[in-house]
Amino acid sequence: MFDAAIAAAQPAHNVPPHLPQPPKGRLVVIGAGKASAAMARAVEEHWSGELSGLVVTRYGYAVPCRRIAIVEAAHPVPDAAGLAAARRMLDVVRGLTADDLVLCLISGGGSALLPLRSTG
């Protein structure tokens, strides 16, 4: 039962059935958390249209992706890499249109990995 429970929680099994319909424009993926890189990989493997993005995960949790940039940062104590990734993520979503779609992948640890606070 333990092995079945672990297998059922894997992003490769859970993400594809919940992918959105293709937008008129681009799909931009952003995300943060210890499982965000694995989720990004599952999106890439099942998305045939235009795709780009950035996710930040804990050091040692990165997985290879071709179209979505993977950044590693500290967890549970935030570091400069997480701050830089948060700023970069804002740049990734700048300039989107109503035809574009943002898919946000969040898992445990996301708040420590994106330590940028509002200045407004």
Side-chain angles (χ1 to χ4, degrees), residues 28-86:
V28 176
V29 176
I30 59 171
K34 294 173 285 204
S36 63
M39 291 188 290
R41 184 175 179 168
V43 172
E44 277 195 353
E45 290 175 348
H46 292 89
W47 194 266
S48 59
E50 186 177 347
L51 172 66
S52 64
L54 169 72
V55 301
V56 57
T57 191
R58 182 179 182 172
Y59 291 115
Y61 283 62
V63 297
C65 287
R66 292 173 283 119
R67 300 181 284 171
I68 301 169
I70 307 297
V71 175
E72 292 179 304
H75 175 278
V77 178
D79 68 357
L83 182 59

